[in-house]
Amino acid sequence: MRNWRWLLLVLAVLLALLQYRFWFGQGNSGEVMMLEAQVANQKRDNDGLQQRNDSLAAEVQDLKDGEAAIEERARSELGMIKPGEKFYRVVENAPVAAPAAPAPATSTPAGQGNQQSPPENVP
């Protein structure tokens, strides 16, 4: 009967050590859950970057193969036009310049007359 008690005591201590290691030791359950969350975040980031890489690879292939993509980029990014085309720029919500108001009359000291500076070239 005594041997059974010692065996139960040893098994209980062993179980307690294993539980301690599971909850508080190196590689415990909290660390595992945190690392799984980091892996999920990294996979999501990698998926987004893979989509971006795929779209850039498709754009590069389009630029290598077709002239339409090159023409579109030249028109949009460089502002180029074909010979014989007319270019019209439509500007929306452009501020309207107010007409220049005449300068207010100032009093001049006696004997100096009314000297005005020449008008400036305003485009």
Side-chain angles (χ1 to χ4, degrees):
M1 212 31 125
R2 274 192 139 165
N3 290 338
W4 288 103
R5 288 183 185 176
W6 282 106
L7 182 61
L8 285 176
L9 181 64
V10 168
L11 289 176
V13 169
L14 183 61
L15 180 64
L17 287 173
L18 290 175
Q19 285 294 315
Y20 176 80
R21 184 176 170 121
F22 177 75
W23 293 106
F24 305 110
Q26 181 180 4
N28 62 38
S29 61
E31 286 182 20
V32 170
M33 289 181 359
M34 182 179 66
L35 290 174
E36 287 175 351
Q38 286 178 354
V39 167
N41 287 338
Q42 191 63 49
K43 282 183 181 179
R44 187 174 55 248
D45 291 345
N46 288 350
D47 290 341
L49 292 173
Q50 185 63 45
Q51 287 177 354
R52 187 186 73 171
N53 288 347
D54 292 343
S55 68
L56 289 174
E59 185 176 350
V60 166
Q61 189 63 35
D62 193 29
L63 288 173
K64 284 182 180 179
D65 293 343
E67 291 182 17
I70 294 172
E71 180 180 337
E72 187 270 329
R73 277 184 96 98
R75 288 177 178 270
S76 65
E77 293 180 9
L78 302 176
M80 299 179 83
I81 59 172
K82 288 182 178 179
E85 286 184 331
K86 291 185 181 181
F87 177 75
Y88 296 99
R89 181 177 297 218
V90 178
V91 181
E92 296 179 13
N93 299 332
V96 178
T106 59
S107 61
T108 57
Q112 289 188 359
N114 190 3
Q115 297 177 353
Q116 293 182 355
S117 61
E120 297 178 16
N121 292 335
V122 179

